[in-house]
Structure formats: structure tokens, C-alpha cells
Amino acid sequence: MMKQVSIIGIIFAVGVLVLLKVFQDSIPRISEPTTNIFVFIGFIIIAIIYGVSQHKKNNNQK
């Protein structure tokens, strides 16, 4: 069950990357450095929250 979920996640991620590559020209570019920093910090915060929630979920299942 766990391997099937991870394979589906990998396929989904590859699909999203392909779509981003296809529509790359239509996505507006952000050239302001402060906006890039805010987007990067937001991404890191979301990744940390997601990682912590996954860790707690795995600990509760054991």
C-alpha cells in the first residue's frame, strides 16, 4: 500500500513538472528580488509544516 502511494506521488510530480515546462512561456516572471525571497520563505515554511505533520502522522500509526 505504501509503495503504491509513493509511486502515484512520483508520477503526479513528474506530470506537474511536464505541465510547468509546457506552459513555461505563459507563466509571468517575477523579477523583484524581495518577492522572490518571500515566495522562497513561504515555500520553506509550508515544507516544514508538511514534514512535521507527516512525521506526527507516522508516529501516531506506530
Side-chain angles (χ1 to χ4, degrees), residues 20-39:
L20 284 175
K21 188 65 177 169
V22 168
F23 295 111
Q24 187 175 14
D25 293 334
S26 62
I27 298 173
R29 298 273 182 238
I30 301 173
S31 59
E32 216 175 310
T34 54
T35 308
N36 286 338
I37 291 171
F38 286 135
V39 169

Side-chain angles (χ1 to χ4, degrees), residues 5-53:
V5 172
S6 64
I7 291 172
I8 291 172
I10 291 171
I11 292 171
F12 179 73
V14 170
V16 168
L17 289 175
V18 168
L19 282 176
L20 284 175
K21 188 65 177 169
V22 168
F23 295 111
Q24 187 175 14
D25 293 334
S26 62
I27 298 173
R29 298 273 182 238
I30 301 173
S31 59
E32 216 175 310
T34 54
T35 308
N36 286 338
I37 291 171
F38 286 135
V39 169
F40 184 66
I41 290 173
F43 176 76
I44 290 175
I45 290 172
I46 290 171
I48 290 172
I49 291 171
Y50 178 76
V52 168
S53 68

